[in-house]
Amino acid sequence: MNKPTTILSDEHVNILKVIDILSKEVGLLETRKNLDKQFFEKAIRFIKEYADRFHHAKEEDILFFELSKDGVLQHCNPVKQMLYEHDIGRSFVKDAEDAFARNDIGDLCKNARGYCELLQEHIFKEDNILYPMADEALGEGIQSSMLERFGQVTEIKFDEKEWEF
Ligand SMILES: [Fe+2]
Ligand SMILES: [Fe+2]
C-alpha cells in the first residue's frame, strides 16, 4: 500500500525542483537587475496552485487534521509550527507578488529568497521528522481513509512540460 506521506514527499520533490530554479533566477536578478516577467509570473502561479492550493491544502485538511486528533501524538506535536510556516510562506508570496506588480526588484528578490529558504527548511522537517512520526502514529485504517480523501482532491499533475522553465 502506498502511504499518504509517500505521496506528499513525492510532491515535495516537484516543489523543490521549482524552488531550485527560482533561487537561481533570483541570484541572476540580483546581479543583472533584468526582470524576466514571464518566468516570475509562472513561478508564482506554480507556488500558489501546486505548492499551496494543492499540496499544503492536503496537508492541512487531511494529514494535520488527523495528527491533531486527541491522543494521536503523545509527546510533541509539530503541526502548529508547520501551519505557522505555511502562513509565513503565504505572506512571502503575497509580498513578492506586490513587489512584482510595482516592479520593485529588490523587494521581489528579498521575498522570493525568503520563500525559497523557508520552504527548503520546511520540507526538510516534514520529510525527516513529521512524516516519519505520522507513519508511526497513524494506523493502517486511517492511512487508507486518508488515501481515499487524497483521491478526492482535484489533482494537479506535475506536468514537466507545463512547468518547464
Ligand atoms: Fe507543509
Ligand atoms: Fe509539505
Side-chain angles (χ1 to χ4, degrees):
M1 183 184 85
N2 216 349
K3 285 186 297 198
T5 53
T6 310
I7 295 177
L8 294 170
S9 274
D10 288 347
E11 291 167 7
H12 283 167
V13 174
N14 297 329
I15 295 169
L16 287 173
K17 260 188 220 163
V18 176
I19 283 183
D20 196 43
I21 302 168
L22 178 60
S23 343
K24 283 187 188 127
E25 192 64 33
V26 170
L28 286 174
L29 184 57
E30 278 165 343
T31 51
R32 61 170 155 72
K33 308 278 178 207
N34 181 0
L35 180 60
D36 180 345
K37 287 201 171 199
Q38 252 187 329
F39 169 83
F40 277 93
E41 257 161 2
K42 202 170 172 182
I44 290 173
R45 191 160 61 86
F46 172 84
I47 289 166
K48 289 173 79 174
E49 289 178 12
Y50 188 89
D52 202 37
R53 207 170 305 142
F54 178 58
H55 176 78
H56 288 164
K58 255 161 53 192
E59 288 181 338
E60 292 180 5
D61 299 342
I62 303 169
L63 177 69
F64 296 177
F65 173 77
E66 289 299 337
L67 289 175
S68 299
K69 286 184 177 168
D70 281 348
V72 175
L73 292 177
Q74 311 286 342
H75 305 295
C76 72
N77 187 345
V79 165
K80 237 189 180 165
Q81 175 66 20
M82 296 298 106
L83 284 170
Y84 172 66
E85 291 176 6
H86 285 185
D87 280 342
I88 303 184
R90 286 175 187 127
S91 74
F92 272 132
V93 175
K94 194 190 166 293
D95 291 348
E97 262 189 306
D98 291 348
F100 179 79
R102 292 193 314 272
N103 225 0
D104 182 339
I105 290 177
D107 215 33
L108 173 61
C109 288
K110 192 182 93 190
N111 286 293
R113 191 163 291 296
Y115 179 82
C116 291
E117 287 169 3
L118 173 83
L119 258 279
Q120 282 162 339
E121 280 180 35
H122 178 78
I123 286 176
F124 183 85
K125 287 187 239 176
E126 288 183 338
D127 281 339
N128 295 287
I129 302 166
L130 187 77
Y131 292 178
M133 272 169 94
D135 292 345
E136 187 127 341
L138 302 168
E140 220 174 281
I142 302 209
Q143 294 200 30
S144 69
S145 116
M146 286 168 68
L147 285 173
E148 230 165 83
R149 280 173 277 161
F150 275 11
Q152 286 158 7
V153 176
T154 311
E155 189 171 1
I156 299 181
K157 286 248 184 265
F158 185 79
D159 181 342
E160 300 271 353
K161 279 233 160 56
E162 155 132 40
W163 298 111
E164 203 177 276
F165 287 93

